[in-house]
């Protein structure tokens, strides 16, 4: 019986492969595992097909920092990848997160990421809404790349949970625990709520909604852009606790309203406010079972 021997797996080849692997293993330190570039190569996140089907947008980490994300797009017809928004150029200095945004990212399991962590297409596929560093930007896909980015907000407060309205006239967002809209036609900005602050918030998802119900927003547009439904959340009845955030060089004590099992949950009410006059109407959700 004739034996067939594959030359690839000779003893000499195996010894050579083992020697190379050992040499590479000696160079693979703990520090290198977490440094850039990523050992597995660059990978994309949050891929979205544009409403007109012409491109696929996505987030990708920098070659020098795999956790700092930029906004890219793949042109399907042209078969090429294009960097749309470089987070370092748009916001050269890193910005701290608000407490609300920090908790929101923790619940979304993206707290280790920086740069552009989310974005959104307008319904007509012309614009991209890009939150970065606590402010909001719009990218015009039909404009010259050098003039495509338009800044919507520039405040000391942190804007979060930003969205285009269904018909694309407005951008809505949360600032200082209140719900705001920006009219893209006129450039005017207006608060739809004003009572948010402290333990009271408008348009924000509470802890139970985010952590247990996978709902990270507290407001919803009417399909015709005429009104917004939002939650009014009062956490004053929820027990306040202290938790530890442990870092490599320090430990941070954070106070947080946490609804323990058997304890009181936040009081959540639903309102609807027209965009035109902002007169909110409470929606009766039925009697409290307690």
């Amino acid at each position: 019986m004739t034996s067939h021997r594959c030359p690839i797996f000779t003893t000499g080849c195996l010894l050579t492969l083992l020697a190379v692997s050992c040499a590479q293993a000696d160079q693979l330190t703990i520090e290198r595992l977490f440094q850039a570039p990523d050992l597995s190569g660059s990978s994309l996140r949050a891929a979205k097909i544009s409403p007109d089907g012409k491109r696929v947008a996505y987030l990708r980490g920098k070659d020098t920092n795999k956790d700092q994300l930029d906004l890219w797009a793949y042109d399907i017809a042209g078969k090429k990848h294009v960097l749309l928004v470089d987070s370092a150029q748009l916001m050269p200095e890193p910005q701290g997160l608000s407490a609300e945004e920090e908790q929101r990212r923790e619940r979304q399991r993206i707290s280790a990421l920086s740069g552009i962590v989310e974005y959104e297409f307008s319904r007509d596929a012309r614009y991209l809404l890009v939150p970065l560093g606590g402010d909001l930007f719009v990218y015009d896909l039909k404009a010259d790349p050098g003039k495509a980015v338009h800044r919507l907000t520039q405040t000391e407060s942190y804007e979060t949970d930003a969205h285009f309205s269904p018909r694309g006239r407005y951008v809505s967002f949360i600032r200082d625990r209140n719900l705001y809209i920006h009219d893209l036609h006129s450039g005017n900005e207006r608060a739809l709520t004003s009572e948010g602050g402290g333990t009271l918030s408008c348009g924000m998802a509470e802890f139970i909604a985010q952590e247990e119900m996978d709902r990270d927003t507290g407001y919803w547009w009417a399909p015709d852009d005429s009104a917004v439904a939002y939650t009014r959340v009062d956490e004053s009845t929820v027990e306040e606790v202290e938790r530890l955030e442990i870092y490599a060089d320090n430990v941070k004590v954070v106070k947080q309203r946490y609804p323990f099992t058997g304890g009181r949950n936040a009081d959540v009410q639903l309102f609807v406010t027209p965009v035109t006059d902002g007169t909110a109407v409470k929606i009766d959700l039925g009697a409290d079972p307690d």
Side-chain angles (χ1 to χ4, degrees), residues 35-52:
Q35 288 175 346
D38 199 326
L39 292 175
S40 60
S42 59
S43 58
L44 61 86
R45 293 174 175 268
K48 297 180 182 180
I49 300 174
S50 61
D52 60 4

PDB file of all heavy atoms in Angstrom, residues 35-52:
ATOM      1  N   GLN A  35      -3.383  48.006  22.467  1.00  0.00           N
ATOM      2  CA  GLN A  35      -2.892  49.150  21.719  1.00  0.00           C
ATOM      3  C   GLN A  35      -3.407  49.130  20.283  1.00  0.00           C
ATOM      4  O   GLN A  35      -3.924  48.124  19.800  1.00  0.00           O
ATOM      5  CB  GLN A  35      -1.350  49.163  21.721  1.00  0.00           C
ATOM      6  CG  GLN A  35      -0.728  49.538  23.058  1.00  0.00           C
ATOM      7  CD  GLN A  35       0.785  49.404  23.031  1.00  0.00           C
ATOM      8  OE1 GLN A  35       1.351  48.795  22.127  1.00  0.00           O
ATOM      9  NE2 GLN A  35       1.445  49.967  24.043  1.00  0.00           N
ATOM     10  N   ALA A  36      -3.260  50.276  19.611  1.00  0.00           N
ATOM     11  CA  ALA A  36      -3.596  50.371  18.194  1.00  0.00           C
ATOM     12  C   ALA A  36      -2.333  50.112  17.370  1.00  0.00           C
ATOM     13  O   ALA A  36      -1.229  50.371  17.833  1.00  0.00           O
ATOM     14  CB  ALA A  36      -4.156  51.751  17.886  1.00  0.00           C
ATOM     15  N   PRO A  37      -2.500  49.574  16.150  1.00  0.00           N
ATOM     16  CA  PRO A  37      -3.761  49.156  15.545  1.00  0.00           C
ATOM     17  C   PRO A  37      -4.279  47.850  16.140  1.00  0.00           C
ATOM     18  O   PRO A  37      -3.525  47.094  16.734  1.00  0.00           O
ATOM     19  CB  PRO A  37      -3.381  48.979  14.065  1.00  0.00           C
ATOM     20  CG  PRO A  37      -1.927  48.621  14.101  1.00  0.00           C
ATOM     21  CD  PRO A  37      -1.353  49.411  15.236  1.00  0.00           C
ATOM     22  N   ASP A  38      -5.566  47.613  15.976  1.00  0.00           N
ATOM     23  CA  ASP A  38      -6.205  46.418  16.506  1.00  0.00           C
ATOM     24  C   ASP A  38      -5.581  45.174  15.879  1.00  0.00           C
ATOM     25  O   ASP A  38      -5.331  45.124  14.672  1.00  0.00           O
ATOM     26  CB  ASP A  38      -7.704  46.457  16.178  1.00  0.00           C
ATOM     27  CG  ASP A  38      -8.509  45.514  17.052  1.00  0.00           C
ATOM     28  OD1 ASP A  38      -7.973  44.446  17.393  1.00  0.00           O
ATOM     29  OD2 ASP A  38      -9.655  45.832  17.390  1.00  0.00           O
ATOM     30  N   LEU A  39      -5.311  44.156  16.686  1.00  0.00           N
ATOM     31  CA  LEU A  39      -4.703  42.918  16.178  1.00  0.00           C
ATOM     32  C   LEU A  39      -5.589  42.235  15.143  1.00  0.00           C
ATOM     33  O   LEU A  39      -5.096  41.554  14.247  1.00  0.00           O
ATOM     34  CB  LEU A  39      -4.421  41.961  17.337  1.00  0.00           C
ATOM     35  CG  LEU A  39      -3.332  42.396  18.323  1.00  0.00           C
ATOM     36  CD1 LEU A  39      -3.242  41.409  19.479  1.00  0.00           C
ATOM     37  CD2 LEU A  39      -1.987  42.514  17.622  1.00  0.00           C
ATOM     38  N   SER A  40      -6.892  42.392  15.275  1.00  0.00           N
ATOM     39  CA  SER A  40      -7.807  41.757  14.328  1.00  0.00           C
ATOM     40  C   SER A  40      -8.075  42.622  13.102  1.00  0.00           C
ATOM     41  O   SER A  40      -8.866  42.255  12.239  1.00  0.00           O
ATOM     42  CB  SER A  40      -9.143  41.452  15.026  1.00  0.00           C
ATOM     43  OG  SER A  40      -9.738  42.639  15.502  1.00  0.00           O
ATOM     44  N   GLY A  41      -7.394  43.766  13.025  1.00  0.00           N
ATOM     45  CA  GLY A  41      -7.610  44.661  11.895  1.00  0.00           C
ATOM     46  C   GLY A  41      -8.777  45.598  12.158  1.00  0.00           C
ATOM     47  O   GLY A  41      -9.538  45.415  13.109  1.00  0.00           O
ATOM     48  N   SER A  42      -8.916  46.611  11.326  1.00  0.00           N
ATOM     49  CA  SER A  42     -10.006  47.563  11.516  1.00  0.00           C
ATOM     50  C   SER A  42     -11.343  46.890  11.234  1.00  0.00           C
ATOM     51  O   SER A  42     -11.478  46.101  10.303  1.00  0.00           O
ATOM     52  CB  SER A  42      -9.831  48.764  10.577  1.00  0.00           C
ATOM     53  OG  SER A  42      -9.802  48.329   9.229  1.00  0.00           O
ATOM     54  N   SER A  43     -12.329  47.188  12.066  1.00  0.00           N
ATOM     55  CA  SER A  43     -13.661  46.610  11.898  1.00  0.00           C
ATOM     56  C   SER A  43     -14.690  47.722  11.943  1.00  0.00           C
ATOM     57  O   SER A  43     -14.488  48.763  12.558  1.00  0.00           O
ATOM     58  CB  SER A  43     -13.950  45.587  13.001  1.00  0.00           C
ATOM     59  OG  SER A  43     -13.844  46.169  14.278  1.00  0.00           O
ATOM     60  N   LEU A  44     -15.809  47.507  11.281  1.00  0.00           N
ATOM     61  CA  LEU A  44     -16.840  48.537  11.220  1.00  0.00           C
ATOM     62  C   LEU A  44     -17.910  48.282  12.275  1.00  0.00           C
ATOM     63  O   LEU A  44     -18.117  47.161  12.728  1.00  0.00           O
ATOM     64  CB  LEU A  44     -17.451  48.614   9.828  1.00  0.00           C
ATOM     65  CG  LEU A  44     -18.172  47.380   9.261  1.00  0.00           C
ATOM     66  CD1 LEU A  44     -19.620  47.339   9.708  1.00  0.00           C
ATOM     67  CD2 LEU A  44     -18.109  47.406   7.745  1.00  0.00           C
ATOM     68  N   ARG A  45     -18.575  49.365  12.659  1.00  0.00           N
ATOM     69  CA  ARG A  45     -19.674  49.311  13.610  1.00  0.00           C
ATOM     70  C   ARG A  45     -20.861  50.090  13.056  1.00  0.00           C
ATOM     71  O   ARG A  45     -20.704  50.978  12.233  1.00  0.00           O
ATOM     72  CB  ARG A  45     -19.274  49.953  14.958  1.00  0.00           C
ATOM     73  CG  ARG A  45     -18.216  49.213  15.739  1.00  0.00           C
ATOM     74  CD  ARG A  45     -17.807  50.016  16.955  1.00  0.00           C
ATOM     75  NE  ARG A  45     -16.867  49.322  17.815  1.00  0.00           N
ATOM     76  CZ  ARG A  45     -17.208  48.567  18.848  1.00  0.00           C
ATOM     77  NH1 ARG A  45     -18.479  48.436  19.166  1.00  0.00           N
ATOM     78  NH2 ARG A  45     -16.293  47.964  19.581  1.00  0.00           N
ATOM     79  N   ALA A  46     -22.037  49.747  13.553  1.00  0.00           N
ATOM     80  CA  ALA A  46     -23.259  50.509  13.275  1.00  0.00           C
ATOM     81  C   ALA A  46     -23.468  50.775  11.790  1.00  0.00           C
ATOM     82  O   ALA A  46     -23.729  51.912  11.381  1.00  0.00           O
ATOM     83  CB  ALA A  46     -23.237  51.834  14.052  1.00  0.00           C
ATOM     84  N   ALA A  47     -23.353  49.747  10.966  1.00  0.00           N
ATOM     85  CA  ALA A  47     -23.570  49.916   9.528  1.00  0.00           C
ATOM     86  C   ALA A  47     -25.044  50.187   9.232  1.00  0.00           C
ATOM     87  O   ALA A  47     -25.930  49.533   9.782  1.00  0.00           O
ATOM     88  CB  ALA A  47     -23.119  48.661   8.782  1.00  0.00           C
ATOM     89  N   LYS A  48     -25.299  51.190   8.369  1.00  0.00           N
ATOM     90  CA  LYS A  48     -26.663  51.548   7.987  1.00  0.00           C
ATOM     91  C   LYS A  48     -26.717  51.823   6.485  1.00  0.00           C
ATOM     92  O   LYS A  48     -25.870  52.539   5.959  1.00  0.00           O
ATOM     93  CB  LYS A  48     -27.138  52.796   8.736  1.00  0.00           C
ATOM     94  CG  LYS A  48     -27.209  52.635  10.246  1.00  0.00           C
ATOM     95  CD  LYS A  48     -27.679  53.924  10.908  1.00  0.00           C
ATOM     96  CE  LYS A  48     -27.708  53.805  12.426  1.00  0.00           C
ATOM     97  NZ  LYS A  48     -28.157  55.063  13.076  1.00  0.00           N
ATOM     98  N   ILE A  49     -27.704  51.252   5.826  1.00  0.00           N
ATOM     99  CA  ILE A  49     -27.921  51.513   4.404  1.00  0.00           C
ATOM    100  C   ILE A  49     -28.732  52.797   4.280  1.00  0.00           C
ATOM    101  O   ILE A  49     -29.743  52.975   4.963  1.00  0.00           O
ATOM    102  CB  ILE A  49     -28.650  50.346   3.726  1.00  0.00           C
ATOM    103  CG1 ILE A  49     -27.816  49.061   3.858  1.00  0.00           C
ATOM    104  CG2 ILE A  49     -28.924  50.651   2.260  1.00  0.00           C
ATOM    105  CD1 ILE A  49     -28.518  47.823   3.334  1.00  0.00           C
ATOM    106  N   SER A  50     -28.293  53.708   3.417  1.00  0.00           N
ATOM    107  CA  SER A  50     -29.013  54.966   3.242  1.00  0.00           C
ATOM    108  C   SER A  50     -30.409  54.700   2.680  1.00  0.00           C
ATOM    109  O   SER A  50     -30.618  53.709   1.967  1.00  0.00           O
ATOM    110  CB  SER A  50     -28.244  55.893   2.292  1.00  0.00           C
ATOM    111  OG  SER A  50     -28.111  55.298   1.008  1.00  0.00           O
ATOM    112  N   PRO A  51     -31.398  55.540   2.999  1.00  0.00           N
ATOM    113  CA  PRO A  51     -32.770  55.314   2.517  1.00  0.00           C
ATOM    114  C   PRO A  51     -32.893  55.202   1.008  1.00  0.00           C
ATOM    115  O   PRO A  51     -33.809  54.545   0.511  1.00  0.00           O
ATOM    116  CB  PRO A  51     -33.527  56.544   3.047  1.00  0.00           C
ATOM    117  CG  PRO A  51     -32.784  56.940   4.273  1.00  0.00           C
ATOM    118  CD  PRO A  51     -31.336  56.670   3.947  1.00  0.00           C
ATOM    119  N   ASP A  52     -31.972  55.834   0.251  1.00  0.00           N
ATOM    120  CA  ASP A  52     -32.035  55.731  -1.212  1.00  0.00           C
ATOM    121  C   ASP A  52     -31.244  54.544  -1.751  1.00  0.00           C
ATOM    122  O   ASP A  52     -31.187  54.318  -2.961  1.00  0.00           O
ATOM    123  CB  ASP A  52     -31.540  57.022  -1.869  1.00  0.00           C
ATOM    124  CG  ASP A  52     -30.097  57.360  -1.497  1.00  0.00           C
ATOM    125  OD1 ASP A  52     -29.452  56.552  -0.794  1.00  0.00           O
ATOM    126  OD2 ASP A  52     -29.620  58.433  -1.900  1.00  0.00           O
TER     127      ASP A  52
END
